[in-house]
């Protein structure tokens, strides 16, 4: 659905969960796509550097996620 969603825990060290399944792309601070999710309820940030990422759903909603190492 196109309803806004939430992401938790935030900040995270690895796995985040979404309030409902979303299709989304994760972007780093340089605007590069670094992860994709397809109708996913969770997504791993493992292997990504510490910092802030933007999760943007195909419906256009965005949430910032902070990764801590």
């Amino acid at each position: 659905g196109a309803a806004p969603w939430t992401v938790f825990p935030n900040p995270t060290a690895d796995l985040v969960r979404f309030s409902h399944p979303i299709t989304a792309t994760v972007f780093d601070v340089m605007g590069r796509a670094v992860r994709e999710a397809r109708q996913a309820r969770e997504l791993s940030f493992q292997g990504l550097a510490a910092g802030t990422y933007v999760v943007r759903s195909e419906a256009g909603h965005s949430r910032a996620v902070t990764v801590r190492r």
Side-chain angles (χ1 to χ4, degrees):
W5 41 273
T6 57
V7 58
F8 57 92
N10 191 6
T12 186
D14 177 13
L15 203 66
V16 295
R17 290 182 170 81
F18 305 115
S19 51
H20 57 264
I22 65 167
T23 296
T25 304
V26 180
F27 297 94
D28 67 12
V29 291
M30 302 299 290
R32 294 175 296 217
V34 293
R35 288 280 194 280
E36 286 193 357
R38 297 233 170 267
Q39 286 302 303
R41 286 210 68 131
E42 58 185 34
L43 184 64
S44 173
F45 281 79
Q46 193 166 20
L48 295 177
T52 301
Y53 295 84
V54 174
V55 180
R56 184 173 300 132
S57 72
E58 65 179 1
H61 300 288
S62 296
R63 298 284 183 273
V65 173
T66 300
V67 174
R68 291 200 175 139
R69 294 281 172 246

Short mmCIF file of all heavy atoms in Angstrom, two decimals:
data_model
loop_
_atom_site.label_atom_id
_atom_site.label_comp_id
_atom_site.label_asym_id
_atom_site.label_seq_id
_atom_site.Cartn_x
_atom_site.Cartn_y
_atom_site.Cartn_z
N GLY A 1 0.82 -1.20 0.00
CA GLY A 1 0.00 0.00 0.00
C GLY A 1 0.85 1.25 0.00
O GLY A 1 2.06 1.19 0.19
N ALA A 2 0.21 2.36 -0.18
CA ALA A 2 0.91 3.63 -0.24
C ALA A 2 0.95 4.34 1.11
O ALA A 2 1.41 5.45 1.21
CB ALA A 2 0.25 4.54 -1.28
N ALA A 3 0.43 3.68 2.15
CA ALA A 3 0.42 4.32 3.46
C ALA A 3 1.83 4.53 3.97
O ALA A 3 2.71 3.71 3.71
CB ALA A 3 -0.36 3.46 4.45
N PRO A 4 2.06 5.64 4.70
CA PRO A 4 3.39 5.83 5.29
C PRO A 4 3.74 4.66 6.20
O PRO A 4 2.86 4.04 6.79
CB PRO A 4 3.24 7.13 6.08
CG PRO A 4 2.14 7.86 5.38
CD PRO A 4 1.19 6.79 4.92
N TRP A 5 5.01 4.41 6.34
CA TRP A 5 5.49 3.27 7.11
C TRP A 5 6.55 3.76 8.09
O TRP A 5 7.06 4.87 7.97
CB TRP A 5 6.09 2.21 6.17
CG TRP A 5 6.92 2.82 5.08
CD1 TRP A 5 6.47 3.26 3.86
CD2 TRP A 5 8.30 3.14 5.12
NE1 TRP A 5 7.50 3.81 3.14
CE2 TRP A 5 8.64 3.74 3.89
CE3 TRP A 5 9.30 2.96 6.07
CZ2 TRP A 5 9.92 4.18 3.59
CZ3 TRP A 5 10.58 3.39 5.77
CH2 TRP A 5 10.88 3.99 4.54
N THR A 6 6.85 2.93 9.06
CA THR A 6 7.91 3.25 10.01
C THR A 6 8.98 2.19 9.93
O THR A 6 8.74 1.08 9.43
CB THR A 6 7.36 3.34 11.44
OG1 THR A 6 6.73 2.10 11.77
CG2 THR A 6 6.35 4.47 11.57
N VAL A 7 10.17 2.53 10.43
CA VAL A 7 11.31 1.62 10.40
C VAL A 7 11.94 1.60 11.79
O VAL A 7 12.06 2.64 12.44
CB VAL A 7 12.33 2.03 9.31
CG1 VAL A 7 12.82 3.44 9.51
CG2 VAL A 7 13.47 1.05 9.22
N PHE A 8 12.29 0.42 12.27
CA PHE A 8 12.86 0.28 13.61
C PHE A 8 13.70 -0.99 13.67
O PHE A 8 13.48 -1.89 12.85
CB PHE A 8 11.72 0.25 14.65
CG PHE A 8 10.71 -0.85 14.38
CD1 PHE A 8 10.84 -2.10 14.97
CD2 PHE A 8 9.64 -0.63 13.51
CE1 PHE A 8 9.92 -3.11 14.71
CE2 PHE A 8 8.72 -1.64 13.25
CZ PHE A 8 8.86 -2.88 13.85
N PRO A 9 14.67 -1.15 14.56
CA PRO A 9 15.19 -0.07 15.42
C PRO A 9 16.00 0.94 14.60
O PRO A 9 16.51 0.61 13.54
CB PRO A 9 16.11 -0.82 16.40
CG PRO A 9 16.61 -1.99 15.59
CD PRO A 9 15.44 -2.39 14.71
N ASN A 10 16.08 2.13 15.11
CA ASN A 10 16.79 3.19 14.41
C ASN A 10 17.35 4.15 15.46
O ASN A 10 16.56 4.82 16.12
CB ASN A 10 15.82 3.93 13.48
CG ASN A 10 16.51 4.88 12.54
OD1 ASN A 10 17.73 4.94 12.46
ND2 ASN A 10 15.73 5.65 11.82
N PRO A 11 18.66 4.18 15.65
CA PRO A 11 19.72 3.58 14.84
C PRO A 11 19.79 2.05 14.95
O PRO A 11 19.23 1.46 15.86
CB PRO A 11 20.99 4.23 15.36
CG PRO A 11 20.66 4.82 16.67
CD PRO A 11 19.20 5.01 16.73
N THR A 12 20.50 1.47 13.98
CA THR A 12 20.65 0.02 13.93
C THR A 12 22.10 -0.35 13.67
O THR A 12 22.87 0.47 13.18
CB THR A 12 19.76 -0.58 12.82
OG1 THR A 12 19.82 -2.01 12.89
CG2 THR A 12 20.20 -0.12 11.44
N ALA A 13 22.45 -1.60 14.00
CA ALA A 13 23.77 -2.12 13.63
C ALA A 13 23.65 -3.08 12.45
O ALA A 13 24.63 -3.36 11.78
CB ALA A 13 24.41 -2.84 14.82
N ASP A 14 22.43 -3.58 12.19
CA ASP A 14 22.27 -4.54 11.10
C ASP A 14 20.85 -4.52 10.56
O ASP A 14 20.56 -3.86 9.58
CB ASP A 14 22.63 -5.95 11.58
CG ASP A 14 22.41 -7.02 10.50
OD1 ASP A 14 22.21 -6.66 9.32
OD2 ASP A 14 22.43 -8.21 10.84
N LEU A 15 19.95 -5.23 11.22
CA LEU A 15 18.63 -5.46 10.66
C LEU A 15 17.63 -4.38 11.08
O LEU A 15 17.58 -4.00 12.26
CB LEU A 15 18.12 -6.82 11.14
CG LEU A 15 17.05 -7.49 10.29
CD1 LEU A 15 17.59 -7.87 8.92
CD2 LEU A 15 16.54 -8.73 11.01
N VAL A 16 16.86 -3.88 10.12
CA VAL A 16 15.71 -3.03 10.45
C VAL A 16 14.45 -3.75 10.01
O VAL A 16 14.47 -4.58 9.10
CB VAL A 16 15.77 -1.63 9.79
CG1 VAL A 16 16.95 -0.83 10.33
CG2 VAL A 16 15.80 -1.72 8.28
N ARG A 17 13.36 -3.41 10.67
CA ARG A 17 12.05 -3.96 10.31
C ARG A 17 11.14 -2.80 9.92
O ARG A 17 11.28 -1.69 10.42
CB ARG A 17 11.46 -4.74 11.48
CG ARG A 17 12.23 -6.03 11.73
CD ARG A 17 11.64 -6.86 12.85
NE ARG A 17 12.26 -8.17 12.89
CZ ARG A 17 13.44 -8.42 13.46
NH1 ARG A 17 14.12 -7.45 14.01
NH2 ARG A 17 13.93 -9.64 13.44
N PHE A 18 10.21 -3.09 9.03
CA PHE A 18 9.24 -2.10 8.58
C PHE A 18 7.88 -2.42 9.18
O PHE A 18 7.57 -3.58 9.43
CB PHE A 18 9.14 -2.10 7.05
CG PHE A 18 10.46 -1.89 6.36
CD1 PHE A 18 11.03 -2.88 5.58
CD2 PHE A 18 11.15 -0.69 6.51
CE1 PHE A 18 12.25 -2.69 4.95
CE2 PHE A 18 12.37 -0.49 5.89
CZ PHE A 18 12.93 -1.50 5.11
N SER A 19 7.07 -1.38 9.37
CA SER A 19 5.76 -1.57 9.98
C SER A 19 4.83 -2.39 9.10
O SER A 19 3.91 -3.03 9.59
CB SER A 19 5.12 -0.21 10.30
OG SER A 19 5.15 0.62 9.15
N HIS A 20 5.08 -2.39 7.80
CA HIS A 20 4.38 -3.30 6.88
C HIS A 20 5.28 -3.49 5.66
O HIS A 20 6.22 -2.74 5.47
CB HIS A 20 2.98 -2.78 6.50
CG HIS A 20 2.96 -1.41 5.90
ND1 HIS A 20 2.73 -0.27 6.64
CD2 HIS A 20 3.15 -0.99 4.63
CE1 HIS A 20 2.77 0.79 5.85
NE2 HIS A 20 3.03 0.38 4.62
N PRO A 21 5.04 -4.52 4.86
CA PRO A 21 5.94 -4.81 3.74
C PRO A 21 6.02 -3.63 2.76
O PRO A 21 4.98 -3.06 2.41
CB PRO A 21 5.31 -6.03 3.07
CG PRO A 21 4.50 -6.67 4.13
CD PRO A 21 3.98 -5.54 4.98
N ILE A 22 7.23 -3.30 2.36
CA ILE A 22 7.41 -2.21 1.40
C ILE A 22 8.41 -2.64 0.32
O ILE A 22 9.23 -3.53 0.53
CB ILE A 22 7.91 -0.91 2.06
CG1 ILE A 22 9.31 -1.08 2.66
CG2 ILE A 22 6.92 -0.39 3.09
CD1 ILE A 22 9.98 0.23 3.03
N THR A 23 8.28 -2.00 -0.82
CA THR A 23 9.29 -2.09 -1.87
C THR A 23 10.02 -0.75 -1.84
O THR A 23 9.39 0.31 -1.94
CB THR A 23 8.63 -2.34 -3.24
OG1 THR A 23 8.00 -3.62 -3.19
CG2 THR A 23 9.66 -2.32 -4.35
N ALA A 24 11.34 -0.80 -1.65
CA ALA A 24 12.08 0.44 -1.40
C ALA A 24 13.52 0.30 -1.88
O ALA A 24 14.01 -0.81 -2.09
CB ALA A 24 12.05 0.79 0.08
N THR A 25 14.16 1.45 -2.00
CA THR A 25 15.58 1.51 -2.32
C THR A 25 16.27 2.28 -1.21
O THR A 25 15.74 3.27 -0.70
CB THR A 25 15.81 2.22 -3.67
OG1 THR A 25 15.04 1.54 -4.67
CG2 THR A 25 17.28 2.20 -4.06
N VAL A 26 17.47 1.82 -0.83
CA VAL A 26 18.28 2.50 0.19
C VAL A 26 19.38 3.27 -0.52
O VAL A 26 20.09 2.70 -1.36
CB VAL A 26 18.90 1.48 1.17
CG1 VAL A 26 19.75 2.21 2.21
CG2 VAL A 26 17.80 0.65 1.83
N PHE A 27 19.51 4.54 -0.16
CA PHE A 27 20.53 5.40 -0.76
C PHE A 27 21.52 5.84 0.31
O PHE A 27 21.13 6.12 1.45
CB PHE A 27 19.88 6.66 -1.36
CG PHE A 27 18.94 6.35 -2.50
CD1 PHE A 27 17.59 6.19 -2.26
CD2 PHE A 27 19.41 6.23 -3.79
CE1 PHE A 27 16.71 5.90 -3.30
CE2 PHE A 27 18.55 5.95 -4.84
CZ PHE A 27 17.20 5.78 -4.59
N ASP A 28 22.82 5.94 -0.07
CA ASP A 28 23.81 6.49 0.84
C ASP A 28 23.82 8.01 0.72
O ASP A 28 23.03 8.59 -0.04
CB ASP A 28 25.19 5.86 0.61
CG ASP A 28 25.80 6.22 -0.75
OD1 ASP A 28 25.29 7.13 -1.44
OD2 ASP A 28 26.80 5.58 -1.11
N VAL A 29 24.73 8.65 1.49
CA VAL A 29 24.74 10.12 1.50
C VAL A 29 25.13 10.72 0.16
O VAL A 29 24.85 11.89 -0.10
CB VAL A 29 25.67 10.68 2.62
CG1 VAL A 29 25.09 10.40 3.98
CG2 VAL A 29 27.07 10.13 2.49
N MET A 30 25.76 9.91 -0.70
CA MET A 30 26.15 10.39 -2.03
C MET A 30 25.03 10.18 -3.05
O MET A 30 25.18 10.49 -4.23
CB MET A 30 27.42 9.68 -2.51
CG MET A 30 28.60 9.84 -1.58
SD MET A 30 29.11 11.57 -1.36
CE MET A 30 29.78 11.89 -2.99
N GLY A 31 23.92 9.61 -2.60
CA GLY A 31 22.80 9.38 -3.50
C GLY A 31 22.88 8.10 -4.30
O GLY A 31 22.10 7.89 -5.22
N ARG A 32 23.84 7.22 -3.93
CA ARG A 32 23.97 5.94 -4.62
C ARG A 32 23.03 4.91 -4.02
O ARG A 32 22.92 4.81 -2.80
CB ARG A 32 25.41 5.42 -4.51
CG ARG A 32 26.43 6.30 -5.23
CD ARG A 32 27.83 5.80 -4.99
NE ARG A 32 28.17 5.92 -3.57
CZ ARG A 32 29.38 6.24 -3.11
NH1 ARG A 32 30.37 6.46 -3.94
NH2 ARG A 32 29.60 6.32 -1.82
N ALA A 33 22.38 4.14 -4.88
CA ALA A 33 21.52 3.05 -4.40
C ALA A 33 22.42 1.92 -3.89
O ALA A 33 23.29 1.44 -4.62
CB ALA A 33 20.63 2.55 -5.52
N VAL A 34 22.25 1.53 -2.63
CA VAL A 34 23.11 0.51 -2.03
C VAL A 34 22.37 -0.75 -1.62
O VAL A 34 22.99 -1.78 -1.36
CB VAL A 34 23.90 1.08 -0.82
CG1 VAL A 34 24.89 2.14 -1.28
CG2 VAL A 34 22.95 1.63 0.24
N ARG A 35 21.04 -0.70 -1.54
CA ARG A 35 20.24 -1.87 -1.18
C ARG A 35 18.86 -1.71 -1.81
O ARG A 35 18.39 -0.59 -2.02
CB ARG A 35 20.02 -1.97 0.34
CG ARG A 35 21.22 -2.38 1.15
CD ARG A 35 21.44 -3.89 1.09
NE ARG A 35 22.36 -4.34 2.09
CZ ARG A 35 23.68 -4.25 2.03
NH1 ARG A 35 24.25 -3.67 0.99
NH2 ARG A 35 24.45 -4.72 2.98
N GLU A 36 18.22 -2.84 -2.05
CA GLU A 36 16.84 -2.81 -2.52
C GLU A 36 16.03 -3.81 -1.74
O GLU A 36 16.54 -4.85 -1.32
CB GLU A 36 16.76 -3.14 -4.02
CG GLU A 36 17.25 -2.02 -4.90
CD GLU A 36 16.87 -2.22 -6.36
OE1 GLU A 36 16.28 -3.26 -6.69
OE2 GLU A 36 17.18 -1.32 -7.16
N ALA A 37 14.77 -3.48 -1.53
CA ALA A 37 13.84 -4.37 -0.84
C ALA A 37 12.59 -4.51 -1.70
O ALA A 37 12.10 -3.52 -2.25
CB ALA A 37 13.46 -3.80 0.53
N ARG A 38 12.08 -5.74 -1.83
CA ARG A 38 10.86 -5.98 -2.60
C ARG A 38 9.81 -6.60 -1.71
O ARG A 38 9.97 -7.75 -1.29
CB ARG A 38 11.15 -6.91 -3.78
CG ARG A 38 12.14 -6.31 -4.75
CD ARG A 38 11.61 -6.33 -6.17
NE ARG A 38 12.47 -5.55 -7.05
CZ ARG A 38 12.27 -4.26 -7.33
NH1 ARG A 38 11.25 -3.62 -6.84
NH2 ARG A 38 13.10 -3.62 -8.13
N GLN A 39 8.79 -5.83 -1.40
CA GLN A 39 7.72 -6.29 -0.51
C GLN A 39 8.31 -6.96 0.73
O GLN A 39 7.91 -8.05 1.12
CB GLN A 39 6.75 -7.23 -1.26
CG GLN A 39 5.84 -6.49 -2.23
CD GLN A 39 5.01 -5.42 -1.52
OE1 GLN A 39 4.27 -5.70 -0.59
NE2 GLN A 39 5.13 -4.17 -1.97
N ALA A 40 9.28 -6.28 1.31
CA ALA A 40 10.02 -6.81 2.46
C ALA A 40 9.51 -6.23 3.76
O ALA A 40 9.07 -5.08 3.81
CB ALA A 40 11.50 -6.51 2.31
N ARG A 41 9.57 -7.03 4.81
CA ARG A 41 9.26 -6.55 6.15
C ARG A 41 10.52 -6.24 6.92
O ARG A 41 10.45 -5.65 8.00
CB ARG A 41 8.44 -7.60 6.91
CG ARG A 41 7.01 -7.65 6.43
CD ARG A 41 6.07 -8.05 7.53
NE ARG A 41 5.97 -7.02 8.56
CZ ARG A 41 4.83 -6.57 9.03
NH1 ARG A 41 3.69 -7.01 8.57
NH2 ARG A 41 4.81 -5.66 9.99
N GLU A 42 11.68 -6.66 6.39
CA GLU A 42 12.95 -6.34 7.05
C GLU A 42 14.04 -6.21 6.01
O GLU A 42 13.90 -6.66 4.88
CB GLU A 42 13.30 -7.39 8.11
CG GLU A 42 13.41 -8.80 7.57
CD GLU A 42 13.64 -9.81 8.68
OE1 GLU A 42 13.11 -9.64 9.79
OE2 GLU A 42 14.37 -10.79 8.42
N LEU A 43 15.13 -5.57 6.43
CA LEU A 43 16.24 -5.31 5.52
C LEU A 43 17.52 -5.24 6.31
O LEU A 43 17.57 -4.62 7.39
CB LEU A 43 16.00 -3.98 4.79
CG LEU A 43 17.02 -3.59 3.73
CD1 LEU A 43 17.02 -4.57 2.57
CD2 LEU A 43 16.72 -2.18 3.21
N SER A 44 18.58 -5.86 5.80
CA SER A 44 19.87 -5.85 6.48
C SER A 44 20.74 -4.70 6.00
O SER A 44 20.83 -4.45 4.80
CB SER A 44 20.59 -7.18 6.23
OG SER A 44 21.90 -7.11 6.75
N PHE A 45 21.37 -4.03 6.95
CA PHE A 45 22.36 -3.00 6.65
C PHE A 45 23.77 -3.52 6.89
O PHE A 45 24.73 -2.77 6.89
CB PHE A 45 22.10 -1.74 7.49
CG PHE A 45 20.99 -0.89 6.95
CD1 PHE A 45 19.67 -1.24 7.18
CD2 PHE A 45 21.25 0.24 6.21
CE1 PHE A 45 18.64 -0.47 6.68
CE2 PHE A 45 20.23 1.02 5.71
CZ PHE A 45 18.93 0.66 5.94
N GLN A 46 23.90 -4.83 7.12
CA GLN A 46 25.20 -5.44 7.35
C GLN A 46 26.09 -5.20 6.13
O GLN A 46 25.64 -5.29 4.99
CB GLN A 46 25.04 -6.94 7.61
CG GLN A 46 26.29 -7.60 8.15
CD GLN A 46 26.01 -8.97 8.71
OE1 GLN A 46 24.99 -9.57 8.38
NE2 GLN A 46 26.88 -9.47 9.55
N GLY A 47 27.36 -4.90 6.39
CA GLY A 47 28.30 -4.67 5.31
C GLY A 47 28.34 -3.23 4.83
O GLY A 47 29.20 -2.88 4.02
N LEU A 48 27.42 -2.40 5.31
CA LEU A 48 27.45 -0.99 4.94
C LEU A 48 28.18 -0.20 6.03
O LEU A 48 28.11 -0.55 7.21
CB LEU A 48 26.03 -0.44 4.77
CG LEU A 48 25.23 -1.04 3.62
CD1 LEU A 48 23.82 -0.46 3.60
CD2 LEU A 48 25.92 -0.77 2.29
N ALA A 49 28.85 0.86 5.64
CA ALA A 49 29.58 1.69 6.59
C ALA A 49 28.62 2.41 7.53
O ALA A 49 27.45 2.63 7.20
CB ALA A 49 30.42 2.72 5.84
N ALA A 50 29.13 2.77 8.70
CA ALA A 50 28.35 3.59 9.62
C ALA A 50 27.98 4.90 8.94
O ALA A 50 28.73 5.41 8.11
CB ALA A 50 29.15 3.86 10.90
N GLY A 51 26.81 5.41 9.27
CA GLY A 51 26.38 6.67 8.68
C GLY A 51 24.88 6.71 8.52
O GLY A 51 24.16 5.87 9.06
N THR A 52 24.42 7.68 7.78
CA THR A 52 22.98 7.87 7.57
C THR A 52 22.62 7.46 6.16
O THR A 52 23.31 7.81 5.20
CB THR A 52 22.58 9.34 7.82
OG1 THR A 52 22.92 9.69 9.16
CG2 THR A 52 21.08 9.54 7.62
N TYR A 53 21.54 6.71 6.05
CA TYR A 53 21.03 6.24 4.77
C TYR A 53 19.57 6.66 4.66
O TYR A 53 18.89 6.85 5.66
CB TYR A 53 21.14 4.71 4.68
CG TYR A 53 22.57 4.25 4.69
CD1 TYR A 53 23.25 4.07 5.89
CD2 TYR A 53 23.25 4.01 3.50
CE1 TYR A 53 24.58 3.67 5.91
CE2 TYR A 53 24.58 3.61 3.51
CZ TYR A 53 25.23 3.44 4.72
OH TYR A 53 26.54 3.04 4.73
N VAL A 54 19.11 6.80 3.43
CA VAL A 54 17.71 7.14 3.20
C VAL A 54 17.02 5.95 2.56
O VAL A 54 17.48 5.44 1.53
CB VAL A 54 17.57 8.39 2.30
CG1 VAL A 54 16.10 8.64 1.95
CG2 VAL A 54 18.16 9.61 3.00
N VAL A 55 15.94 5.50 3.20
CA VAL A 55 15.12 4.43 2.64
C VAL A 55 13.93 5.11 1.97
O VAL A 55 13.16 5.81 2.62
CB VAL A 55 14.62 3.47 3.75
CG1 VAL A 55 13.78 2.35 3.14
CG2 VAL A 55 15.80 2.90 4.53
N ARG A 56 13.81 4.94 0.64
CA ARG A 56 12.74 5.59 -0.11
C ARG A 56 11.85 4.52 -0.72
O ARG A 56 12.29 3.71 -1.53
CB ARG A 56 13.31 6.49 -1.20
CG ARG A 56 12.23 7.27 -1.97
CD ARG A 56 12.84 8.29 -2.91
NE ARG A 56 13.65 9.26 -2.20
CZ ARG A 56 14.88 9.63 -2.55
NH1 ARG A 56 15.46 9.12 -3.60
NH2 ARG A 56 15.53 10.52 -1.85
N SER A 57 10.59 4.54 -0.33
CA SER A 57 9.65 3.55 -0.87
C SER A 57 9.22 3.94 -2.27
O SER A 57 9.32 5.11 -2.66
CB SER A 57 8.42 3.42 0.04
OG SER A 57 7.61 4.57 -0.08
N GLU A 58 8.73 2.95 -3.02
CA GLU A 58 8.29 3.25 -4.39
C GLU A 58 7.09 4.19 -4.39
O GLU A 58 6.81 4.84 -5.39
CB GLU A 58 8.00 1.97 -5.17
CG GLU A 58 6.86 1.14 -4.65
CD GLU A 58 6.62 -0.10 -5.50
OE1 GLU A 58 7.38 -0.32 -6.47
OE2 GLU A 58 5.68 -0.84 -5.18
N ALA A 59 6.41 4.28 -3.25
CA ALA A 59 5.28 5.21 -3.13
C ALA A 59 5.76 6.64 -2.87
O ALA A 59 4.96 7.57 -2.88
CB ALA A 59 4.34 4.77 -2.01
N GLY A 60 7.07 6.80 -2.63
CA GLY A 60 7.63 8.14 -2.47
C GLY A 60 7.89 8.58 -1.05
O GLY A 60 8.37 9.68 -0.83
N HIS A 61 7.60 7.72 -0.07
CA HIS A 61 7.87 8.08 1.32
C HIS A 61 9.32 7.75 1.65
O HIS A 61 9.84 6.73 1.21
CB HIS A 61 6.94 7.32 2.27
CG HIS A 61 5.49 7.60 2.02
ND1 HIS A 61 4.89 8.78 2.35
CD2 HIS A 61 4.53 6.83 1.46
CE1 HIS A 61 3.62 8.74 2.00
NE2 HIS A 61 3.37 7.56 1.45
N SER A 62 9.95 8.62 2.44
CA SER A 62 11.35 8.42 2.81
C SER A 62 11.54 8.44 4.31
O SER A 62 10.84 9.18 5.01
CB SER A 62 12.24 9.51 2.19
OG SER A 62 12.21 9.41 0.79
N ARG A 63 12.50 7.65 4.77
CA ARG A 63 12.89 7.66 6.18
C ARG A 63 14.41 7.58 6.23
O ARG A 63 15.02 6.82 5.48
CB ARG A 63 12.33 6.45 6.95
CG ARG A 63 10.81 6.37 7.00
CD ARG A 63 10.22 7.37 7.98
NE ARG A 63 8.77 7.22 8.07
CZ ARG A 63 7.91 7.83 7.27
NH1 ARG A 63 8.34 8.60 6.28
NH2 ARG A 63 6.62 7.68 7.44
N ALA A 64 15.01 8.35 7.13
CA ALA A 64 16.45 8.27 7.35
C ALA A 64 16.73 7.15 8.37
O ALA A 64 16.01 7.02 9.35
CB ALA A 64 16.99 9.60 7.87
N VAL A 65 17.76 6.36 8.09
CA VAL A 65 18.19 5.31 9.01
C VAL A 65 19.65 5.53 9.32
O VAL A 65 20.47 5.74 8.43
CB VAL A 65 17.99 3.90 8.39
CG1 VAL A 65 18.61 2.83 9.27
CG2 VAL A 65 16.52 3.62 8.13
N THR A 66 19.99 5.51 10.62
CA THR A 66 21.37 5.67 11.05
C THR A 66 21.96 4.30 11.36
O THR A 66 21.37 3.53 12.10
CB THR A 66 21.44 6.57 12.30
OG1 THR A 66 20.90 7.85 11.98
CG2 THR A 66 22.89 6.74 12.76
N VAL A 67 23.11 4.01 10.75
CA VAL A 67 23.83 2.76 10.99
C VAL A 67 25.01 3.08 11.90
O VAL A 67 25.79 3.97 11.62
CB VAL A 67 24.31 2.13 9.67
CG1 VAL A 67 25.18 0.90 9.95
CG2 VAL A 67 23.12 1.76 8.80
N ARG A 68 25.10 2.34 13.01
CA ARG A 68 26.20 2.52 13.96
C ARG A 68 27.03 1.25 13.96
O ARG A 68 26.51 0.16 13.93
CB ARG A 68 25.66 2.80 15.36
CG ARG A 68 25.00 4.16 15.43
CD ARG A 68 24.91 4.64 16.86
NE ARG A 68 24.39 6.00 16.89
CZ ARG A 68 23.51 6.44 17.77
NH1 ARG A 68 23.06 5.63 18.70
NH2 ARG A 68 23.10 7.69 17.74
N ARG A 69 28.34 1.43 14.05
CA ARG A 69 29.26 0.29 14.09
C ARG A 69 30.02 0.28 15.41
O ARG A 69 30.28 1.30 15.97
CB ARG A 69 30.27 0.37 12.93
CG ARG A 69 29.62 0.21 11.59
CD ARG A 69 29.33 -1.28 11.30
NE ARG A 69 28.55 -1.47 10.10
CZ ARG A 69 27.31 -1.96 10.12
NH1 ARG A 69 26.72 -2.31 11.23
NH2 ARG A 69 26.64 -2.13 8.99
#
